[in-house]
Amino acid sequence: MKTYPENEWLMLSGIQHYVFCKRQWALIHLEGEWQENFLTTEGKIIHERVHNEDLTEKRGDLIICRGMRIFSDKLGISGVSDAVEFHKSEEGALLAGYDGFWRPIPIEYKHGKPKADHSDILQVVAQAMCLEEMFCVNINEACLFYDKIHRREKVEITSELREEVQKAFEEMHQYFKRGYTPKVKIKKACKSCSLKDVCLPELTKRQSVASYYESFMEVD
Ligand code: SF4
């Protein structure tokens, strides 16, 4: 199986941008643009809260690790998991400093409520795939916690979801290698997009960016 050297690893969290819009992902991860809107700002506050708490906590047969660094050289990605729960189980892995075997389950905290698209689900599945590689275990579930509904949503890690994650990262690696930013495609998501002012969707609907800039060059 193909593996990626560390200097080619992409940010795991980029998959949520990629699923939302390939162009948004490229603007952030290839071109380094980032604009804060209320969605990204509130999302950041939730993540900061999660990452600021004590890093590791043990409650009986449960260990919770917050802000854990995770990676996969098969997918060519790295990132930070909001929380990884380790449940005592014969199907788990050895953990330094703890007796027995522990089965990891990634938990991702999100602002709002479950989305219509697959972006949050694929992000947490990618985290599970990283943990499988790091601990040499099989993981068949992950969780998403949404602050608006204050409830955990269980995600079953199916082979279809694994394939989607793998395909998305393969495509992202290809775009990254080519340095290619996909063109604007106006869609409903553009309204809440944190990069709409950079991407100029309304403008490009009316006229091309090139002709817009050309209009500034015209001499009376
Ligand atoms: S404004 Fe629309 S096309 Fe542009 S990056 Fe955002 S979602 Fe994508």
Side-chain angles (χ1 to χ4, degrees), residues 12-24:
L12 185 156
S13 58
I15 196 165
Q16 58 181 323
H17 305 129
Y18 190 78
V19 174
F20 179 78
C21 171
K22 294 180 182 181
R23 179 172 168 80
Q24 193 205 56

Side-chain angles (χ1 to χ4, degrees), residues 38-200:
F38 71 98
L39 290 177
T40 56
T41 308
E42 287 193 31
K44 228 171 81 180
I45 290 167
I46 290 173
H47 285 263
E48 275 165 9
R49 211 173 54 215
V50 170
H51 291 293
N52 279 341
E53 288 170 28
D54 286 342
L55 288 180
T56 304
E57 185 187 338
K58 185 168 184 305
R59 299 182 205 157
D61 284 348
L62 173 68
I63 299 168
I64 305 167
C65 293
R66 295 189 173 81
M68 186 173 161
R69 295 228 144 255
I70 54 177
F71 63 88
S72 158
D73 58 7
K74 287 183 191 156
L75 295 170
I77 56 172
S78 68
V80 176
S81 172
D82 284 343
V84 180
E85 286 186 357
F86 290 90
H87 295 255
K88 203 162 196 177
S89 160
E90 288 305 312
E91 293 153 23
L94 285 169
L95 272 191
Y98 297 96
D99 287 336
F101 296 92
W102 301 84
R103 190 169 52 90
I105 299 180
I107 318 286
E108 180 70 12
Y109 294 82
K110 291 290 177 193
H111 170 61
K113 50 187 192 207
K115 299 191 181 94
D117 68 26
H118 253 155
S119 54
D120 294 344
I121 290 175
L122 293 191
Q123 186 183 359
V124 83
V125 171
Q127 292 177 0
M129 291 168 79
C130 286
L131 291 165
E132 283 184 328
E133 204 177 308
M134 291 165 65
F135 290 95
C136 296
V137 289
N138 286 325
I139 299 176
N140 50 24
E141 67 173 279
C143 284
L144 288 162
F145 180 89
Y146 291 93
D147 67 341
K148 210 156 217 164
I149 57 171
H150 226 78
R151 197 178 66 223
R152 276 186 181 196
E153 297 281 306
K154 195 169 145 180
V155 176
E156 195 191 334
I157 318 274
T158 62
S159 52
E160 289 80 12
L161 288 171
R162 288 173 192 277
E163 276 166 31
E164 262 189 78
V165 167
Q166 194 160 345
K167 186 168 171 281
F169 281 117
E170 274 170 17
E171 287 173 7
M172 287 152 81
H173 276 288
Q174 281 164 20
Y175 279 127
F176 202 88
K177 217 169 191 170
R178 287 167 58 205
Y180 176 74
T181 300
K183 305 225 175 323
V184 174
K185 273 192 193 157
I186 308 284
K187 49 189 162 288
K188 216 170 135 192
C190 296
K191 275 195 178 158
S192 61
C193 175
S194 53
L195 291 186
K196 64 181 171 203
D197 294 337
V198 174
C199 174
L200 306 173

